[in-house]
């Protein structure tokens, strides 16, 4: 009798989780069975967050911090794979994982890698398998950076850590068998933001460091000026791996806004009420003009209220020195000339799709060599899905990575 009761309870639980986790996916998304699993896990966590908030334990937005990594092991998991020497280190006071070819008789090109996670989540360990494969396939030394995270360390702490590590690699890379004349930066999502910002800063500052050779930006987040671009509107809930609402939370954390009022601040940002109309009409507004998007993406198909005229002066006063800072928002840089050649990866089903399109266009207009990779059927996070217990790495991510590896190889041969 007890056994039957347990079986019934298990069946009810499985059915309930299936109902909560199910989400209809848009036509054309690649390998929907894999996406459905990822989305299902995401939706179950969101339901848990709502329940936790209802019971008085935090709010839905701040509960995102529950997804932070557990304590690290002494040795990275990939150290056992055998093809590379994988070690933990500290560079410029920042924890890193270094992936080195075992051949120490020669100097190797290098990548400084910045992980995603909305400047709030993630770590080099989260991306261990992805970065290990990057190092193997590109035959480079990869330094994966454990930059400080918001909300404890908001902007500019994360970008400063990334800059400090990159400068060290460019100056002292020989300590890790690195050819400092062949160094580039790579990042995805928030890490793509950091990679773009590092490339921009090192290009514009005066120093005796060798220049970066390339930048690879996988579905980067490049601005918080306009949170109602067509991709933010149309793809907010269609593939809820990364939503517009969640980006509002990440930006609120990264801006250093009071976590105790996170729901309020993230809502204002998400509704585009954080910037006054006269600023939207400035030169910065032109950088997010939809006319610079591919024709088929210039108009949102969904209709939502335009609340931008109801801007919140209180919020703007707190962020006005950040919102157009190129280190925070590389798309807001007045001049992009001279930055390293770029591989920009955008996904068809990603709220950050338009950020990548706009940045690639501006780079091209500035005379920068750009390879724009459009991930047809792809979705946010598709290069790093291998971090899951089961293999969820989609073909769209594999194709994008292959393109990035080829791009890096071609640049380094020049």
């Amino acid at each position: 009798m007890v056994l039957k009761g347990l079986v019934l309870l298990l069946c009810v639980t499985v059915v309930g989780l299936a109902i909560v986790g199910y989400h209809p996916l848009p036509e054309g998304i690649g390998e929907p069975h894999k996406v459905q699993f990822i989305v299902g896990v995401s939706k179950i966590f969101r339901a848990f967050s709502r329940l936790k908030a209802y019971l008085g334990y935090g709010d839905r937005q701040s509960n995102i911090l529950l997804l932070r990594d557990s304590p690290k092991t002494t040795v990275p998991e990939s150290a056992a794979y055998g093809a590379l020497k994988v070690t933990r280190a500290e560079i410029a006071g920042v924890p890193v994982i270094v992936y080195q070819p075992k051949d120490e008789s020669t100097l190797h090109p290098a990548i400084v890698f910045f992980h995603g996670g909305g400047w709030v989540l993630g770590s080099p360990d989260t991306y261990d398998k992805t970065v290990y494969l990057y190092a193997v396939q590109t035959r480079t030394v990869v330094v994966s950076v454990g930059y400080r995270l918001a909300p404890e360390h908001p902007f500019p702490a994360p970008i400063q850590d990334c800059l400090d590590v990159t400068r060290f690699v460019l100056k002292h890379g020989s300590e890790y068998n690195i050819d400092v004349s062949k160094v580039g930066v790579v990042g995805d999502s928030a890490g793509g933001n950091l990679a773009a910002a590092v490339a921009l800063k090192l290009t514009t500052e005066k120093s005796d460091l060798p220049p970066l050779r390339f930048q690879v930006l996988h579905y980067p987040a490049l601005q918080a000026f306009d949170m109602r671009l067509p991709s933010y509107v149309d793809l907010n809930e269609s593939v809820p791996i990364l939503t517009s609402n969640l980006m509002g939370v990440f930006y609120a954390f990264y801006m250093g806004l009071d976590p105790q009022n996170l729901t309020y601040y993230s809502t204002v940002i998400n509704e585009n009420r954080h910037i006054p109309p006269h600023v939207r009409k400035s030169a910065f507004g032109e950088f997010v003009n939809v006319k610079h998007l591919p024709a088929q993406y210039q108009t949102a198909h969904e209709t939502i209220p335009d609340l931008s005229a109801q801007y919140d002066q209180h919020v703007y006063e707190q962020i006005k020195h950040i919102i157009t800072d190129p280190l925070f928002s590389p798309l807001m840089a007045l001049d992009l000339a001279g930055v390293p050649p770029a591989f920009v990866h955008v996904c068809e089903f990603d709220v950050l799709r338009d950020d990548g399109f706009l940045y690639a266009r501006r780079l091209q207009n500035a005379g920068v060599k750009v390879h724009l990779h459009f991930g047809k059927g792809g979705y946010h996070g598709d290069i790093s899905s291998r971090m899951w217990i089961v293999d969820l790495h989609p073909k769209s991510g594999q194709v994008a990575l292959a393109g990035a590896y080829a791009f890096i190889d071609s640049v380094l041969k020049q």
Side-chain angles (χ1 to χ4, degrees):
M1 190 67 179
V2 173
L3 180 59
K4 288 184 178 179
L6 291 175
V7 171
L8 179 60
L9 178 61
L10 177 61
C11 291
V12 171
T13 300
V14 170
V15 171
L17 290 176
I19 293 172
V20 171
Y22 174 75
H23 186 85
L25 296 172
E27 183 179 351
I29 195 163
E31 298 172 273
H33 59 289
K34 293 183 178 180
V35 185
Q36 189 63 252
F37 181 85
I38 298 172
V39 169
V41 172
S42 175
K43 289 191 68 178
I44 289 169
F45 173 78
R46 289 161 69 185
F48 170 74
S49 295
R50 286 194 293 269
L51 176 61
K52 188 170 178 285
Y54 176 77
L55 295 175
Y57 296 97
D59 57 37
R60 288 171 54 192
Q61 285 78 4
S62 61
N63 283 335
I64 191 68
L65 298 177
L66 295 172
L67 293 176
R68 282 186 164 178
D69 283 357
S70 57
K72 311 300 182 294
T73 57
T74 303
V75 180
E77 181 182 344
S78 66
Y81 296 170
L84 302 173
K85 176 184 176 183
V86 183
T87 56
R88 295 192 190 279
E90 188 173 281
I91 292 179
V94 181
V96 300
I97 298 179
V98 183
Y99 303 77
Q100 296 174 265
K102 290 188 174 181
D103 178 11
E104 299 182 0
S105 64
T106 185
L107 298 179
H108 301 278
I111 289 169
V112 186
F113 187 94
F114 311 117
H115 66 80
W119 310 276
V120 174
L121 307 174
S123 73
D125 285 84
T126 308
Y127 279 70
D128 183 38
K129 294 180 182 179
T130 299
V131 175
Y132 181 90
L133 182 61
Y134 234 108
V136 170
Q137 295 296 328
T138 58
R139 302 178 300 281
T140 62
V141 177
V142 181
V143 178
S144 186
V145 182
Y147 56 86
R148 288 170 291 175
L149 298 175
E152 295 86 355
H153 305 286
F155 178 83
I159 181 60
Q160 290 298 343
D161 287 352
C162 295
L163 282 166
D164 288 346
V165 172
T166 307
R167 289 184 181 116
F168 181 95
V169 169
L170 289 170
K171 189 171 185 179
H172 305 289
S174 59
E175 296 181 18
Y176 294 96
N177 293 107
I178 290 172
D179 180 346
V180 297
S181 70
K182 297 181 177 180
V183 177
V185 290
V186 177
D188 78 315
S189 194
N193 168 286
L194 295 167
V198 166
L200 182 61
K201 178 63 174 177
L202 294 183
T203 298
T204 56
E205 72 180 12
K206 294 181 179 180
S207 75
D208 58 356
L209 295 175
L212 291 172
R213 292 290 298 277
F214 58 85
Q215 54 181 318
V216 175
L217 316 178
H218 293 287
Y219 35 83
L222 297 166
Q223 59 87 32
F225 192 90
D226 189 349
M227 302 296 289
R228 292 295 175 90
L229 290 173
S231 60
Y232 270 118
V233 174
D234 287 343
L235 301 172
N236 179 30
E237 290 292 344
S238 62
V239 186
I241 295 173
L242 178 66
T243 66
S244 304
N245 297 327
L246 185 54
M247 279 307 302
V249 171
F250 285 147
Y251 275 126
F253 273 137
Y254 192 36
M255 291 173 183
L257 297 171
D258 184 4
Q260 299 302 313
N261 291 315
L262 186 64
T263 300
Y264 165 69
Y265 286 121
S266 62
T267 300
V268 170
I269 293 169
N270 182 249
E271 293 179 348
N272 250 5
R273 296 190 291 115
H274 59 306
I275 297 175
H278 74 274
V279 176
R280 293 202 177 278
K281 295 177 181 178
S282 68
F284 296 111
E286 180 61 20
F287 298 153
V288 290
N289 192 319
V290 294
K291 72 180 183 182
H292 301 307
L293 295 171
Q296 67 269 38
Y297 295 124
Q298 291 181 5
T299 304
H301 296 96
E302 299 292 327
T303 301
I304 57 176
D306 181 5
L307 303 175
S308 59
Q310 304 172 25
Y311 83 97
D312 190 311
Q313 183 69 22
H314 171 69
V315 174
Y316 178 66
E317 288 298 325
Q318 295 182 72
I319 67 171
K320 63 182 181 181
H321 64 292
I322 297 175
I323 199 71
T324 57
D325 187 328
L327 291 185
F328 174 85
S329 177
L331 187 59
M332 295 294 108
L334 297 177
D335 186 5
L336 294 172
V339 300
F343 180 94
V344 181
H345 168 200
V346 300
C347 294
E348 183 176 7
F349 298 100
D350 180 13
V351 295
L352 299 180
R353 181 195 67 203
D354 293 347
D355 278 24
F357 276 140
L358 291 168
Y359 200 60
R361 171 64 68 88
R362 286 207 61 211
L363 289 172
Q364 291 169 342
N365 291 343
V368 177
K369 178 183 176 182
V370 180
H371 180 94
L372 175 63
H373 177 86
F374 178 70
K376 186 172 179 58
Y379 52 88
H380 193 84
D382 66 3
I383 71 159
S384 59
S385 298
R386 65 172 49 83
M387 69 182 177
W388 292 76
I389 296 173
V390 293
D391 181 14
L392 296 173
H393 194 209
K395 291 180 181 178
S396 60
Q398 296 174 37
V399 171
L401 286 172
Y405 304 152
F407 174 81
I408 292 171
D409 184 61
S410 67
V411 170
L412 292 178
K413 285 181 177 177
Q414 293 175 1

